Amino acid sequence: MPPSAAWVRAENDGAGAGVVVDVRKKLLITCRHLVADRTQVDVIFPWVEGGELVTDRATYLRNRARLRERGLLVTGRVVRMSDEFDLALLELESLPLGVTAAVLAPETPRPGEQLCVVGNRLDLQTVWNHTTGPVRALGRLSEGYFWRGKKLATNAEVVIGQLPTEEGDSGGPAYNAAGELVGIAAALRRQSPNSAILIATAQIRQFLEQPALPPKQTQSANSIADKLTRATVWVSPTATATDRTGVLIAKDLVLTNGKGMTAGDQVGLALPLGSHDQRNQERSAYRDPLELQLRGLWRSGVILAVDSNKELALIRLNKPIEEALSVPLARRLPRNASPIHAMNHPRGLEFAWVYSAGSIRQQGRLPLILGERAKPVAVLLCQLP
């Protein structure tokens, strides 16, 4: 259990989590929408009884007086709030012994990196729940999100995690493998399953009025997420309501979903912006084909063939993508429960080249289309968002 995490309760308004960021000044950060318009809220710290962490929610609520006597339930005074970042800063009346401040990560985590959020989701009877999963995307949250008719976190720098968080996890600290704070759980994009929004540490530093860290010189990424990004294109990104992803199986050949495609037609494809260690995943950056073409990140292609039964299409590019990483076809099917990784451009998110991880659930043969002529196709059923 991280010694910086806390349970924040604004009775009748909201409940969630928070994280201590300064022991000397007794400061804790949580979400602005969690404290609502309160000037003070209750903050509860982990209770260890007989050497074991108490996790039953009801036990805490039945023993408030005892917790306050032991200094585990304290009052937090709201000293600052920000709609821009959806963050609130609390000054606590005291801190229990052993509480330490979270260490802010020096850099933003990369897609594929594993995270852990500590929260208190309302649909569970336990508190101090750990939710783990990889980073899916990074960037500015152009649309923000609504709270009581108000837009919060518009254009805030965020991390999108493959994390099944829920109400009650807001304000929950998100840690990397080194135990450093990389964000604060704030919201969900329910249109895109398992897409938790974390307010990034860069915004936390700004909110705390701490100086920004200088850019770090990093080596080119070599993770699975980076390799998938280099092997993935966005097919017809400027078309209305299209989120079609293509994978390079050679430097001039793209395999994609063939639904609605016709052999002989011309299509446009976008390549990812940025270097290996600093990809631009914001959809808004890919709206201008001319700008992408001037930067060498646009290709036109012709649809060579379409297999309507398998819903596959093969596209030949007018110019090979020399810097791309083509993906060879697997020689054999993976076993059930084997790990699997994916990259696509899901709807419901302001981001493209979004990573996800999961496993194989089952293999089989299923018809992909309706009709008497439909033939079963070999498929993998995957546990993926």
Side-chain angles (χ1 to χ4, degrees), residues 136-137 191-192 195 228-238 241-247 254-256 268-273 280-283 286 342-356 385:
R136 302 193 70 190
Q191 309 95 314
S192 180
S195 296
L228 284 177
T229 301
R230 293 169 60 195
T232 304
V233 296
W234 191 353
V235 182
S236 303
T238 56
T242 182
D243 303 284
R244 200 186 306 258
T245 307
V247 59
V254 171
L255 191 64
T256 188
L269 305 95
L271 282 61
L273 283 159
N280 189 334
Q281 295 179 273
E282 298 169 20
R283 281 177 177 256
Y286 297 89
M343 182 72 64
N344 57 13
H345 319 298
R347 296 186 184 183
L349 278 178
E350 296 96 323
F351 304 98
W353 280 274
V354 176
Y355 170 80
S356 58

Side-chain angles (χ1 to χ4, degrees), residues 199-210:
I199 305 300
T201 49
Q203 307 290 239
I204 296 173
R205 290 183 189 279
Q206 190 173 343
F207 177 67
L208 293 175
E209 299 177 347
Q210 294 183 359

